[in-house]
Amino acid sequence: DIQMTQSPASLSASLEEIVTITCQASQDIGNWLAWYQQKPGKSPQLLIYGATSLADGVPSRFSGSRYGTQYSLKISRLQVEDPGIYYCLQGYSGPWTFGGGTKLELK
Amino acid sequence: EVQLQQSGPEVGRPGSSVKISCKASGYTFTDYVMNWVKQRPGQGLEWIGWIDPEYGSTDYAEKFKKKATLTADTSSNTAYIQLSSLTSEDTATYFCARGDSSYPYVMGAWGQGASVTVSS
């Protein structure tokens, strides 16, 4: 199975700060990566797919990038509604695997 | 508006089975696959598998092949997951999530989740 190592496990950031979360794939997965946000007690929501494409309705402060087998989610200016847990998901080969999650809190 | 409405909480005895439903509306049910994702209390997300409602074809993560059975009823636009031989490890919230037909891992709509508690 492809392993997705996500870091950091948690972070605290201030409003308007730039936040970056990364996922390292254990092998080449091309651009078959998505990012999801989950708020407490809610279902996950799609943010990014194809490593860099913004999902419909997602604010432009979210962006995704890829460098080899390392993938990053960037929040350019943290807003009050952004805290939650963020997960990456590889859809390159089965079983699809999620990263362990990054818990983002407001400082 | 795309909606996925899941059934209510379930309590199952160890060794028994439960079946959760996910009723889709606001789109053509057979144009998308339906994924199922497990989340144990306080834990991360785990992909179980998907079903293509049009053809009934399925794909499962290996560890769920003997645990979960995915079905779909196109007459009622409803997807189901049945969990068998329940153990405490099955206590979790189960989400259905619509997957893009070409990129099934792209789950743009999710149900609200259905909790399963395994207890004697």
Side-chain angles (χ1 to χ4, degrees), chain A residues 31-34 36 38 41-46 49-51 87 89-92 94-100, chain B residues 6 33 35 37 39 43-47 50 59-62 95 102-108 110-113:
Chain A
N31 287 329
W32 295 78
L33 183 109
Y36 294 87
Q38 186 177 31
K42 299 294 186 181
S43 308
Q45 298 296 315
L46 177 68
Y49 63 96
Y87 296 94
L89 169 68
Q90 70 81 18
Y92 178 74
W96 301 340
T97 41
F98 287 92
Chain B
Q6 296 187 236
V33 304
N35 290 279
V37 174
Q39 186 169 40
Q43 302 300 307
L45 303 172
E46 192 171 17
W47 178 73
W50 57 253
D59 188 23
Y60 295 88
E62 187 67 34
F95 295 98
S102 297
Y103 307 99
Y105 76 102
V106 179
M107 304 179 214
W110 292 65
Q112 80 275 23

Side-chain angles (χ1 to χ4, degrees), chain A residues 31-106:
Chain A
N31 287 329
W32 295 78
L33 183 109
W35 290 96
Y36 294 87
Q37 174 197 58
Q38 186 177 31
K39 297 184 180 181
K42 299 294 186 181
S43 308
Q45 298 296 315
L46 177 68
L47 296 174
I48 300 286
Y49 63 96
T52 61
S53 297
L54 196 65
D56 290 345
V58 176
S60 58
R61 64 180 179 275
F62 290 92
S63 63
S65 62
R66 170 193 173 191
Y67 185 77
T69 57
Q70 181 168 292
Y71 300 80
S72 296
L73 173 71
K74 178 182 172 182
I75 308 174
S76 60
R77 294 170 60 183
L78 190 66
Q79 299 297 300
V80 67
E81 61 268 29
D82 296 338
I85 302 179
Y86 291 79
Y87 296 94
C88 63
L89 169 68
Q90 70 81 18
Y92 178 74
S93 73
W96 301 340
T97 41
F98 287 92
T102 295
K103 185 175 184 178
L104 172 61
E105 297 178 324
L106 266 179

Side-chain angles (χ1 to χ4, degrees), chain B residues 62-91:
Chain B
E62 187 67 34
K63 69 174 290 188
F64 289 104
K65 282 184 176 179
K66 294 183 178 180
K67 171 61 61 178
T69 301
L70 306 183
T71 57
D73 179 356
T74 56
S75 68
S76 63
N77 293 343
T78 303
Y80 300 91
I81 180 171
Q82 179 164 327
L83 304 168
S84 62
S85 304
L86 293 174
T87 73
S88 59
E89 297 291 300
D90 301 317
T91 293

